Amino acid sequence: MFFLDLFRREKRSKQVEFDDGLLVAILGGKNSVTKAEALEIPSVQSCVNIIANCVSTLPIKLYEEINGEVKEITDDNRLRLLNKDTGDTVNGTQLKRLWVADYLLGKGAYTYISRDGAGNINGLYYVDEAAVSVISSPEPIFKTYTINVNGKIYYPHEFIKICRKADGKGKGKSVIEENGMIMAVAYNLMKLENGLVKKGGNKKGYLESETQLSKDEIERLKSGLSQLYSNSADVSDNVVVLNKGVKFHESSATSVEMQLNESKINNSSEICKLFGVPEQVMLGNDSNSEKLFLKNCITPMLNIIEAALDSDLLLESEKATKYFAFDDKELTRGSIQERYNAYAVALQNNFMQIDEIREREDLKPLGFNFIKLGLNDVMLDPKTKVMYTPNTNAFANLGNGAFDSLGDFGEEGAADRAAEVRFNSCHDPKSGEFARKEKQGLTSSGKSVRMSKKEKALVTSQINTYYYNRYSGITKGTYYSGKYGKKYTFSINGYDDYVITEIEKIKE
């Protein structure tokens, strides 16, 4: 009897009465959820949709880097398969959405790569991750695996594999697998709420009878109460008639019923954190949250997809120079004020041109290829190497070590003609002495080349402006002044010490 009583006491000690409706719902519900059940949770569905919308609208581009120069490739058939017609019953946009859902909620996203007899890719076929099983070897270093689809064995190179937190064995870990408890709590809480709605909002309670009821009377009361709590559309089902001596006593609401909305909000917030989606992004009223969303959620996922495409779609001979990349400029464009402020900085620092900015804004180019240099009033055409100074209306051509004149201004070496004229005309080129009286452009032939003081000062100042950056280290150069319509050919002795060997009037 002692052992029997001990067993009974032990059995009674394990019997616990639960008053919390949530705990009852969890114990009576599920400890884990499937992918389809998880998508019934509003916060899960919302997070997956937001991420899928961002990723699916971005076009995938192919680039090639040769000698440090990156060139976009536009005529590759793989781009058409990824962005437009996949060859399957889903298009490129739908394929990317399926990738996101399987990546987040399944073991990974799998797409079969169809090739023709020459090995060229001619189709991308989506495969539901539920139909895929992966068989991996136990080897921890040199890992190998095969992919099984409906009993047929495939090799890894036949699929595009996009897996979350993959460990090299062909599959990843979903958000559901890693966080099954919070998913189950949210799902069962939703079921609890559904049960309360089914009761029509009627309070829980119990019946008290002054007299003992027969079995038939008890069954009729139970049936009436069941109809009352069934939330039936029939008006007659919403009324229960109690016999004399039978009273209904209302029971107090459970803690879960009183805090149902609070629990839903907390669960929704926690689920958003699991997906890396700030709650403010769903409301669309916080630009800082959107930046964090792009940085912490979208960008890492894009990098994982790009790495998978490089690994599975590129040939071994292409992997050293070519790579796939999403064109994410639409995501990072920001507001019009933010964009224009950024463009102003780009123009000011000369790493973008006006037509490049207009192209980003989908505007027609102006054909204006100049960029600003130096004093905010010197402009350079990087293609023709022509420099223009608007305030003096002067053009110059950047040569190898010297400024060459434009177009028909003559050949370099024509400086050997004509007599010498000093900008500092008081300087004797033979003795090196400075005369007290200024000589007005006297040449070796005795002819006078006249230059006004204003002209000398302007031309000398302009040549001095370019001396250290352009003329230093050379022996001769040419300079064209648009203001006077003349080309000056000169030899250089040093800073502010030039010998004009030719002055030529340019015909308009």
Side-chain angles (χ1 to χ4, degrees):
M1 292 297 295
F2 171 76
F3 291 104
L4 182 59
D5 291 340
L6 179 61
F7 176 78
R8 289 177 178 174
R9 286 196 298 269
E10 180 68 20
K11 184 176 181 179
R12 285 195 299 270
S13 65
K14 293 183 179 180
Q15 293 178 349
V16 182
E17 294 184 359
F18 302 105
D19 294 329
D20 195 320
L22 176 58
L23 189 55
V24 174
I26 292 177
L27 294 178
K30 291 188 172 184
N31 292 325
S32 62
V33 295
T34 64
K35 178 181 176 181
E37 291 170 340
L39 287 173
E40 293 182 19
I41 304 173
S43 55
V44 174
Q45 182 71 255
S46 180
C47 288
V48 173
N49 283 338
I50 289 176
I51 298 172
N53 289 339
C54 288
V55 174
S56 63
T57 55
L58 299 179
I60 299 174
K61 295 187 176 183
L62 179 62
Y63 297 92
E64 184 175 17
E65 183 177 358
I66 300 178
N67 297 327
E69 182 179 355
V70 178
K71 177 184 177 182
E72 181 183 353
I73 301 174
T74 59
D75 57 351
D76 196 291
N77 183 55
R78 290 168 290 190
L79 296 175
R80 179 184 63 83
L81 296 174
L82 288 169
N83 295 314
K84 296 181 181 179
D85 185 8
T86 63
D88 195 2
T89 54
V90 297
N91 56 39
T93 301
Q94 294 169 335
L95 178 61
K96 295 169 195 172
R97 291 187 63 89
L98 293 169
W99 282 352
V100 172
D102 287 352
Y103 171 85
L104 294 172
L105 304 179
K107 65 175 69 71
Y110 298 87
T111 304
Y112 178 74
I113 305 171
S114 176
R115 291 181 170 87
D116 58 20
N120 299 315
I121 300 175
N122 56 17
L124 298 176
Y125 294 85
Y126 167 74
V127 181
D128 188 352
E129 59 88 19
V132 174
S133 61
V134 178
I135 305 173
S136 60
S137 67
E139 174 61 47
I141 299 179
F142 302 102
K143 295 175 283 293
T144 59
Y145 63 89
T146 57
I147 299 175
N148 189 316
V149 180
N150 287 343
K152 186 175 180 180
I153 301 297
Y154 297 88
Y155 293 100
H157 68 270
E158 298 181 89
F159 281 83
I160 300 174
K161 305 164 293 296
I162 306 171
C163 301
R164 178 180 178 272
K165 295 188 177 181
D167 57 1
K169 297 182 179 180
K171 61 180 179 180
K173 294 183 179 180
S174 68
V175 177
I176 299 175
E177 182 181 355
E178 283 192 326
N179 307 277
M181 183 60 70
I182 182 63
M183 292 290 183
V185 169
Y187 182 75
N188 288 311
L189 185 62
M190 188 172 60
K191 290 177 62 178
L192 173 64
E193 183 181 15
N194 182 52
L196 294 176
V197 172
K198 284 185 176 181
K199 296 176 183 178
N202 293 319
K203 295 289 185 177
K204 293 182 179 180
Y206 58 92
L207 298 175
E208 179 184 6
S209 177
E210 296 178 355
T211 59
Q212 185 175 1
L213 301 176
S214 64
K215 186 176 180 180
D216 292 339
E217 291 174 330
I218 293 175
E219 291 298 328
R220 285 198 300 270
L221 282 174
K222 289 173 62 177
S223 176
L225 290 174
S226 297
Q227 292 176 353
L228 177 65
Y229 284 101
S230 67
N231 196 22
S232 173
D234 191 348
V235 178
S236 61
D237 291 337
N238 297 329
V239 178
V240 176
V241 179
L242 300 179
N243 294 333
K244 182 179 179 180
V246 178
K247 297 179 182 180
F248 177 79
H249 296 277
E250 182 180 298
S251 61
S252 61
T254 65
S255 60
V256 174
E257 291 174 338
M258 291 186 293
Q259 300 178 5
L260 190 61
N261 288 331
E262 182 179 349
S263 299
K264 288 168 56 180
I265 293 173
N266 291 337
N267 291 337
S268 177
S269 176
E270 295 300 319
I271 289 175
C272 288
K273 293 178 183 178
L274 300 179
F275 287 95
V277 180
E279 293 179 87
Q280 292 80 1
V281 171
M282 298 184 182
L283 303 177
N285 57 1
D286 189 350
S287 58
N288 291 329
S289 296
E290 292 180 1
K291 293 178 181 178
L292 291 175
F293 169 63
L294 296 178
K295 178 182 178 181
N296 298 328
C297 180
I298 298 300
T299 300
M301 184 177 297
L302 296 183
N303 290 338
I304 291 175
I305 297 176
E306 290 168 356
L309 297 180
D310 292 342
S311 176
D312 298 326
L313 292 184
L314 293 178
L315 300 175
E316 292 299 324
S317 59
E318 297 176 319
K319 291 182 179 180
T321 58
K322 294 182 180 180
Y323 61 92
F324 289 97
F326 282 91
D327 183 5
D328 59 352
K329 67 179 182 181
E330 293 298 326
L331 291 179
T332 58
R333 288 184 69 174
S335 65
I336 187 170
Q337 182 177 0
E338 292 174 337
R339 298 200 310 274
Y340 285 6
N341 289 338
Y343 294 150
V345 174
L347 284 175
Q348 183 178 359
N349 291 278
N350 302 322
F351 60 83
M352 287 189 72
Q353 298 186 43
I354 293 178
D355 279 351
E356 291 175 329
I357 294 174
R358 292 181 64 85
E359 181 182 0
R360 290 203 172 199
E361 292 294 318
D362 299 325
L363 299 175
K364 184 178 179 181
L366 299 175
F368 188 81
N369 295 321
F370 288 97
I371 60 176
K372 293 187 291 186
L373 292 178
L375 303 175
N376 294 328
D377 58 358
V378 180
M379 309 183 77
L380 172 71
D381 188 336
K383 293 184 178 179
T384 62
K385 305 299 182 183
V386 173
M387 187 169 63
Y388 172 61
T389 307
N391 61 345
T392 60
N393 195 28
F395 285 89
N397 190 8
L398 295 177
N400 295 325
F403 278 98
D404 298 328
S405 56
L406 286 177
D408 299 330
F409 292 169
E411 300 177 357
E412 184 182 4
D416 295 334
R417 295 171 289 166
E420 295 183 351
V421 177
R422 289 279 186 181
F423 272 133
N424 188 345
S425 55
C426 296
H427 181 263
D428 188 340
K430 293 183 178 181
S431 64
E433 298 178 352
F434 287 89
R436 291 184 179 179
K437 185 176 180 181
E438 182 180 11
K439 298 178 182 180
Q440 295 295 329
L442 192 63
T443 68
S444 60
S445 62
K447 296 181 180 180
S448 177
V449 179
R450 295 186 177 276
M451 295 178 65
S452 66
K453 291 183 179 180
K454 184 177 181 181
E455 180 181 357
K456 287 190 297 181
L458 176 62
V459 174
T460 303
S461 175
Q462 290 174 344
I463 294 178
N464 284 339
T465 300
Y466 300 123
Y467 178 77
Y468 284 109
N469 294 331
R470 306 299 183 189
Y471 297 136
S472 181
I474 66 173
T475 58
K476 60 184 177 181
T478 56
Y479 178 77
Y480 170 70
S481 174
K483 180 176 179 63
Y484 294 105
K486 297 178 182 179
K487 181 185 73 171
Y488 301 87
T489 305
F490 57 92
S491 60
I492 301 174
N493 295 325
Y495 182 76
D496 202 29
D497 189 5
Y498 316 109
V499 178
I500 298 296
T501 57
E502 184 177 354
I503 300 176
E504 180 181 352
K505 182 71 175 180
I506 304 301
K507 296 180 180 180
E508 295 183 0

